Amino acid sequence: MNNKLKRGLRVSAAAIAAITAVTALTGCAKETTPTPTAESITIYSGRSEDLIAPLLEAFTEETGIEIEVRYAGSAELAAQILEEGSNVQADVFFSQDAGALGALTEAGVLKTLDSEITDLVDAKYRAADNTWVGVSGRGRVLSHNPELIDEADLPASVFDLADPAWKGKIGIAPSNASFQSFVTAMRVLKGEAATTEWLAAMKENAVIFEKNGQILEAVEAGEITAGLINHYYWFEHATEIGEENMKSKMAWFESGDVGNLVNVAGVGVLSDNAAAVTFAKWLLGETAQKFFVEKTSEYSLTGIPAQAWLPALDEIASPNIDLSALAPLAETLELIRNAGLTD
Amino acid sequence: MAVVAVFASVAPLVYLGVRLAEFGIDKVLTQTLRSRSFELLGNSVLLTLAVAVAAITIGSFQAWLTVRTSIRGRSFFAILAALPLAMPSYVSAYAFAALVPGFKGFWAAWLVLTIGTAPYVYLAVSAALVRSDAATEEVARSLGLGRWRVFKNVTWPAIRPAAISGAMLSALYTLSDFGAVSILSFDTFTRAIYNAYRSSFDRSAAASLAAILVVITVILLVAEPWLRGKIVPTDSRVRKTSLIHLGWFAPIAGTVAVVWAAVGILLPTISLIRWNLIGLSKADAGELGRALVNSISYALAGGLVAAIFGIAISVLVVRFRSKTTLMIDRTIWLTHAVPGIVVALSLVFISNRLLPQLYQTSALVIIAYLILFLPNAVAAMQTPISQAPRALDEVAASLGATRLQTLRRVVIPIAGPGILAGAALVALSVLKELPATLMLRETGVETLATRLWNATSVSSFAAAAPYALILVLVAGIPAWLLNRQVRQSMFSQVDLDRRLERE
């Protein structure tokens, strides 16, 4: 009797587990449930939810277009879109950097954008064939710890970091997309020989990190004197620990130095859904551009002034380069790899 | 069913094949035969061996301490030994790195991965120790052998198969790990695969590297039976034996166990709490709740499905032993060292071409979990299922029971604890899994792991901490359950023998 009871209990326990699992799964708690009647778009976002979710909500509020969004790394999403083949789920790809968009352009999966959208930004911040458009700018900066280096001793050019005096003092993230775009810019502007030489010097001098954020933490902790990062990491970190607790400062190189490269986050449209184009255009409108300036501390590409603690976009003496020229990364990666900085 | 499982398991191989074929053999060779590849291969192999050896040493020591000795608080030590399983390796890596400046490189990766995977060995060896006959050791001791020689000549041969299969899980985990090695800046093969996707969007270069991981796995799989040695036949009846009194050695052994637990569990936890205190960002309670529900649903469903397939494969291998069934058993291991992102991309590729309805549904996520974690389930289930006496099958058959009835009413009840342990192990792994979940989940569904990833990617460590802590707590449940099952089987075995004698 007792055994029978036990077995019965066991079976019902298993059944309950199965039923809960299945019901819970079918009704997996989703963030948004768009009504099928309303207009809606699916966005693959390489930009992170914490930063972007409020912006997307504002879009739905203003336009009535519902959004389904999938967050992951820009590169992973690009790979995913390419593997989806003819069954692409996304209407829009919102990328953290121009490189991932360039990869999709190369594969021919992005639709050409109308000139009423692309004309909103300077030609250097969009694809040459108008398949993607930049929506916000991010600058490369030299993050440094003032306790370890005087402002007067800061290098004038990113090439000065090749000096043996910098051995073990400078942090870089060679597997990071923004570093790679910067090296591509160097290659395009200064030639392969100069770039190879600089990378070889970095192999000697630099401390290697996986992410920009880790470089900044190491600068803050005084483990390294300085590091090459994007400007908004300083802002993210300050938001997390409080501005008054920040030790590091940002600096720019001399006018036109390739170390001052300004890159963009941008969008490309993948489907014929008209709402997707509406979204792309909306990102260049006032609400979104203000949001990028105020909330993520990036640069507006349509002329809204940057935050007070940042130099204005046209004041950064960034090198003169067409961002879509940065897309063919393969040669750059080969150089970085041959220098022994990445796998 | 086993066939379905095999098809699922080789899906990533098919995908790799397609990618490599598209790429062309010349380019594959130039991609893979670079000196850098060999350097990375060396790094991966070195790390894998170092972690496996350390996991065997520490896991076996903990198992012996908690099963065979009379040390005070051994149940407590047992829980401590299993608990690191609940901590995702990327979380403990981040936690250590935040706490100890300059924590990076080979030894950092070694420590974090050993902490994370020693429990595989501990659980397997505990189960083996519970089953093996301590009387043999007593006889050896009474014949005048010293403690070390008893261990070397009697105990080790008995636990060796379990230790090796636990170490196998640990080794394959290390090979496929990306999170910990990337945070700790140690260049391995898997990191190169991720970087190939990330930086060059080059799916074929990544595929050629992943193919090499499969080759290494094959080498390990071929080596495993040889490393395991012969399975020492044990009298299936376990007598209650007296426990070893450690004497002067007790404080030392206890200290070692406590220090290890403090390093592996306490330090990362302190670090997580510190994040929460320092940071200004906040986690949203509603989001936390939804993520928790989703994580638990995936874990339950993953555990359940893996248990069903695990039983099918184990029964097939144990009851119908043949070349084919052994092949099936080995096949499911083939892709166990393939990184999650490759498994996920292969399912994106295949489902979009064959079954587009399945794409971005929870069903595909569960299939991914099955591919990733079925070997863990089978590893836990096979021995318990093999212990269900065959004679009972025959008795059941002679009484007119069908095979399915026999399975349900004889094999499953007897092997119950082992099956539950397998399901718990999978549930635990599902809770911690990140890359496949991120890529395959239904759009809009977030789990604890994806939320954690999201928060850390914008340096909101304070917002990340509650997710990490809850993840560790929830994963602690299957970890604890697993441990209890393993330790209790000692008593249920005795129970079973008594029941058999009565019948």
Side-chain angles (χ1 to χ4, degrees):
Chain A
M1 280 312 272
N2 197 16
N3 272 348
K4 229 178 214 169
L5 187 68
K6 262 195 198 157
R7 199 171 302 141
L9 278 178
R10 211 175 285 138
V11 169
S12 40
I16 289 168
I19 291 163
T20 5
V22 171
T23 47
L25 270 180
T26 47
C28 247
K30 289 177 68 168
E31 309 284 307
T32 52
T33 28
T35 40
T37 47
E39 258 189 305
S40 79
I41 47 171
T42 301
I43 298 173
Y44 280 13
S45 173
R47 305 216 50 186
S48 100
E49 179 168 12
D50 276 20
L51 299 178
I52 287 311
L55 180 69
L56 302 184
E57 276 163 31
F59 172 74
T60 303
E61 215 163 276
E62 280 187 21
T63 62
I65 298 170
E66 299 283 350
I67 288 177
E68 271 214 56
V69 57
R70 192 174 182 81
Y71 296 100
S74 296
E76 282 87 344
L77 286 172
Q80 183 164 6
I81 288 170
L82 294 176
E83 293 301 12
E84 282 175 0
S86 55
N87 189 33
V88 172
Q89 304 288 309
D91 299 308
V92 176
F93 178 41
F94 193 175
S95 171
Q96 174 99 314
D97 57 74
L101 285 162
L104 294 190
T105 296
E106 214 170 301
V109 297
L110 294 178
K111 310 273 179 204
T112 306
L113 294 168
D114 204 72
S115 62
E116 67 165 337
I117 295 177
T118 50
D119 286 352
L120 294 170
V121 303
D122 195 298
K124 68 177 180 180
Y125 298 131
R126 60 178 196 240
D129 61 358
N130 287 336
T131 45
W132 58 261
V133 60
V135 297
S136 60
R138 47 262 309 275
R140 299 286 298 166
V141 296
L142 183 72
S143 157
H144 61 280
N145 188 324
E147 286 169 15
L148 299 175
I149 186 166
D150 282 338
E151 207 165 318
D153 299 332
L154 286 171
S157 162
V158 74
F159 283 96
D160 295 345
L161 296 172
D163 192 289
W166 278 95
K167 193 169 170 58
K169 294 180 178 169
I170 176 79
I172 57 173
S175 64
N176 196 278
S178 54
F179 178 84
Q180 292 170 351
S181 300
F182 146 73
V183 175
T184 310
M186 183 185 275
R187 214 189 75 229
V188 171
L189 294 171
K190 301 282 170 182
E192 201 159 311
T195 307
T196 307
E197 200 181 314
W198 186 79
L199 288 170
M202 282 301 110
K203 174 75 181 169
E204 286 302 310
N205 287 354
V207 183
I208 309 288
F209 293 86
E210 180 77 11
K211 294 174 164 184
N212 279 307
Q214 292 174 318
I215 297 181
L216 183 55
E217 277 166 39
V219 173
E220 285 283 323
E223 287 169 37
I224 49 177
T225 307
L228 295 173
I229 62 172
N230 286 348
H231 79 273
Y232 53 87
Y233 283 94
W234 189 91
F235 181 76
E236 274 180 16
H237 203 69
T239 313
E240 179 69 9
I241 69 166
E243 208 169 307
E244 65 285 1
N245 296 322
M246 294 293 285
K247 290 199 187 105
S248 68
K249 288 199 160 28
M250 280 184 284
W252 282 261
F253 298 102
E254 65 193 1
S255 168
D257 193 88
V258 63
N260 298 341
L261 179 73
V262 173
N263 208 330
V264 296
V267 285
V269 169
L270 292 142
S271 77
D272 294 323
N273 188 339
V277 178
T278 311
F279 177 70
K281 193 173 174 193
W282 186 85
L283 287 178
L284 290 163
E286 194 169 347
T287 315
Q289 291 295 308
K290 267 199 170 142
F291 179 90
F292 291 131
V293 168
E294 286 162 13
K295 297 292 192 291
T296 64
S297 203
E298 289 171 284
Y299 286 107
S300 158
L301 297 183
T302 61
I304 291 175
Q307 287 197 3
W309 54 275
L310 280 170
L313 183 57
D314 47 13
E315 273 171 35
I316 299 181
S318 66
N320 204 2
I321 190 165
D322 177 3
L323 282 184
S324 55
L326 302 186
L329 265 170
E331 294 94 337
T332 303
L333 291 166
E334 202 57 33
L335 292 186
I336 296 177
R337 213 147 50 183
N338 289 343
L341 289 171
T342 59
D343 321 324
Chain B
M1 264 172 92
V3 174
V4 172
V6 167
F7 269 121
S9 298
V10 297
L13 297 184
V14 172
Y15 166 76
L16 289 179
V18 170
R19 280 277 154 262
L20 293 184
E22 206 170 84
F23 204 30
I25 189 77
D26 297 348
K27 278 178 101 178
V28 172
L29 291 180
T30 50
Q31 267 302 326
T32 50
L33 294 180
R34 284 198 321 243
S35 63
R36 181 73 183 145
S37 303
F38 290 107
E39 200 182 310
L40 290 174
L41 198 59
N43 281 354
S44 275
V45 169
L46 209 64
L47 182 66
T48 302
L49 287 180
V51 169
V53 168
I56 288 186
T57 316
I58 289 160
S60 305
F61 168 72
Q62 288 170 322
W64 173 78
L65 195 69
T66 54
V67 175
R68 277 291 151 81
T69 73
S70 64
I71 191 162
R72 189 177 296 207
R74 58 202 192 101
S75 320
F76 177 65
F77 284 130
I79 292 172
L80 286 186
L83 213 54
L85 263 189
M87 180 93 63
S89 53
Y90 51 85
V91 170
S92 54
Y94 231 116
F96 272 111
L99 208 60
V100 187
F103 186 80
K104 54 160 73 177
F106 178 84
W107 291 110
W110 170 82
L111 181 67
V112 165
L113 288 166
T114 304
I115 288 170
T117 63
Y120 289 130
V121 178
Y122 157 76
L123 288 169
V125 173
S126 293
L129 276 179
V130 166
R131 285 193 308 266
S132 83
D133 196 347
T136 329
E137 287 167 33
E138 279 164 23
V139 171
R141 230 181 334 248
S142 71
L143 292 173
L145 282 187
R147 201 170 273 164
W148 168 245
R149 305 227 359 232
V150 172
F151 175 79
K152 190 171 146 263
N153 297 333
V154 183
T155 318
W156 174 243
I159 61 170
R160 184 166 145 183
I164 296 296
S165 60
M168 185 79 176
L169 284 175
S170 151
L172 294 178
Y173 183 97
T174 305
L175 274 181
S176 69
D177 175 77
F178 169 70
V181 293
S182 70
I183 291 165
L184 302 173
S185 306
F186 184 66
D187 280 340
T188 65
F189 226 72
T190 299
R191 198 172 162 210
I193 292 174
Y194 273 77
N195 283 343
Y197 283 120
R198 278 208 183 152
S199 50
S200 51
F201 311 99
D202 192 344
R203 292 162 293 152
S204 299
S208 15
L209 295 175
I212 294 186
L213 276 187
V214 176
V215 172
I216 299 179
T217 311
V218 171
I219 296 172
L220 281 177
L221 287 176
V222 170
E224 197 207 359
W226 173 74
L227 283 170
R228 264 177 193 238
K230 259 193 282 179
I231 292 182
V232 178
T234 53
D235 185 344
S236 77
R237 267 165 237 189
V238 175
R239 297 162 197 88
K240 277 232 152 184
T241 44
S242 56
L243 297 167
I244 301 168
H245 295 286
L246 288 176
W248 59 269
F249 189 59
I252 300 175
T255 313
V256 169
V258 167
V259 166
W260 181 251
V263 169
I265 304 164
L266 207 59
L267 279 188
T269 313
I270 289 174
S271 181
L272 287 182
I273 293 170
R274 213 179 63 134
W275 280 357
N276 205 11
L277 296 180
I278 297 177
L280 302 175
S281 54
K282 290 250 165 359
D284 179 275
E287 279 174 0
L288 194 74
R290 275 191 296 273
L292 182 63
V293 170
N294 290 339
S295 275
I296 292 176
S297 315
Y298 277 147
L300 283 178
L304 191 70
V305 171
I308 294 169
F309 280 95
I311 292 169
I313 288 185
S314 303
V315 168
L316 205 61
V317 171
V318 169
R319 285 288 190 266
F320 306 94
R321 206 174 185 80
S322 72
K323 276 224 169 88
T324 328
T325 56
L326 283 179
M327 275 296 278
I328 290 174
D329 178 53
R330 297 279 96 176
T331 313
I332 61 165
W333 285 87
L334 274 183
T335 46
H336 200 53
V338 174
I341 189 173
V342 180
V343 171
L345 278 174
S346 70
L347 288 177
V348 172
F349 177 83
I350 290 171
S351 70
N352 272 305
R353 277 151 190 81
L354 300 180
L355 281 168
Q357 306 89 316
L358 217 58
Y359 184 54
Q360 290 185 1
T361 63
S362 298
L364 197 65
V365 180
I366 302 299
I367 293 175
Y369 293 151
L370 190 66
I371 296 174
L372 289 167
F373 306 125
L374 185 60
N376 301 39
V378 172
M381 288 175 185
Q382 219 161 63
T383 319
I385 286 185
S386 70
Q387 281 175 339
R390 217 188 172 122
L392 286 186
D393 282 20
E394 283 152 19
V395 171
S398 74
L399 293 173
T402 64
R403 275 200 178 145
L404 211 62
Q405 279 171 327
T406 314
L407 186 66
R408 189 168 65 77
R409 300 185 55 183
V410 179
V411 179
I412 292 179
I414 291 176
I419 290 169
L420 203 61
L425 196 56
V426 173
L428 186 71
S429 311
V430 166
L431 284 171
K432 300 189 291 181
E433 207 285 332
L434 181 62
T437 314
L438 207 52
M439 193 164 277
L440 298 173
R441 78 210 139 112
E442 227 173 298
T443 301
V445 172
E446 302 284 346
T447 66
L448 291 173
T450 64
R451 281 266 166 229
L452 183 58
W453 167 82
N454 174 47
T456 50
S457 66
V458 287
S459 358
S460 307
F461 294 118
Y467 287 102
L469 286 170
I470 289 190
L471 182 56
V472 172
L473 282 180
V474 174
I477 299 169
W480 169 79
L481 199 70
L482 199 60
N483 192 35
R484 212 181 59 128
Q485 288 303 343
V486 166
R487 293 177 63 77
Q488 270 194 349
S489 60
M490 145 164 47
F491 307 108
S492 64
Q493 182 75 40
V494 174
D495 217 37
L496 170 70
D497 288 330
R498 255 188 241 129
R499 215 190 309 162
L500 283 180
E501 273 161 24
R502 243 187 294 136
E503 282 165 18

